[in-house]
Amino acid sequence: MNDITTKPKACPAEMTIRRAGTAIGRAPEGISSAPFWAEMLLESESEGENTAMRATVDPSVITHWHTHPRGQFLYVLSGVGIAQRDGGPVEELRAGDCVWFAPDERHWHGASADSAFSYVSIQAVHDGKSVHWLEPVIRQGERS
């Protein structure tokens, strides 16, 4: 958490253009079964503001279980993805699909075994965070 003298990162105060490809990097370690590329489109730590990113995930790479305090919107750009909410079936995702995960709904998402997967995600900030990362996903037939 930020100390009292440090202002949290906020969305721009006026129209801002971020050119494609200027904020691409590897997603942090410990949030997925293997590294993937992420491009931060909108970053904030301020209450109620949105964060947004574009991710490109290699075949078979999936995130760990996680939640978003104010929910998450996913828009599939390309490829074939998969997603699951805790207790639900694994769902296939294709270009043009939109997915909403409710606030604090435990879930994961990633690429199918034979296709890369690209998506845009939007999630709002609550108490300085837009995501809470949990443990790796153990799927049937896998070992921990």
Side-chain angles (χ1 to χ4, degrees):
M1 185 158 243
N2 297 312
D3 74 30
I4 205 153
T5 61
T6 305
K7 188 174 181 178
K9 191 181 309 181
C11 291
E14 58 188 31
M15 181 180 154
T16 302
I17 297 172
R18 181 176 276 177
R19 298 292 177 201
T22 60
I24 295 176
R26 284 297 209 186
E29 287 189 33
I31 68 166
S32 59
S33 60
F36 63 92
W37 292 104
E39 181 175 17
M40 293 309 298
L41 305 172
L42 188 61
E43 297 179 79
S44 181
E45 297 170 347
S46 295
E47 188 67 24
E49 288 190 344
N50 288 322
T51 66
M53 67 176 251
R54 180 178 59 87
T56 301
V57 184
D58 290 333
S60 296
V61 174
I62 61 172
T63 66
H64 289 188
W65 288 103
H66 60 284
T67 63
H68 300 274
R70 293 198 171 189
Q72 181 186 44
F73 174 81
L74 238 65
Y75 178 75
V76 180
L77 297 170
S78 64
V80 180
I82 50 177
Q84 182 182 31
R85 68 178 188 86
D86 198 8
V90 174
E91 301 283 353
E92 186 175 273
L93 306 174
R94 295 197 171 268
D97 288 349
C98 299
V99 182
W100 170 251
F101 297 105
D104 297 318
E105 182 172 41
R106 189 175 135 101
H107 68 281
W108 61 266
H109 40 84
S112 68
D114 57 356
S115 176
F117 175 56
S118 182
Y119 62 88
V120 170
S121 70
I122 301 169
Q123 44 281 316
V125 175
H126 180 68
D127 288 337
K129 293 197 151 252
S130 61
V131 62
H132 297 283
W133 292 105
L134 305 168
E135 74 277 3
V137 174
I138 304 300
R139 298 181 61 195
Q140 189 170 2
E142 294 180 354
R143 294 184 184 161
S144 58

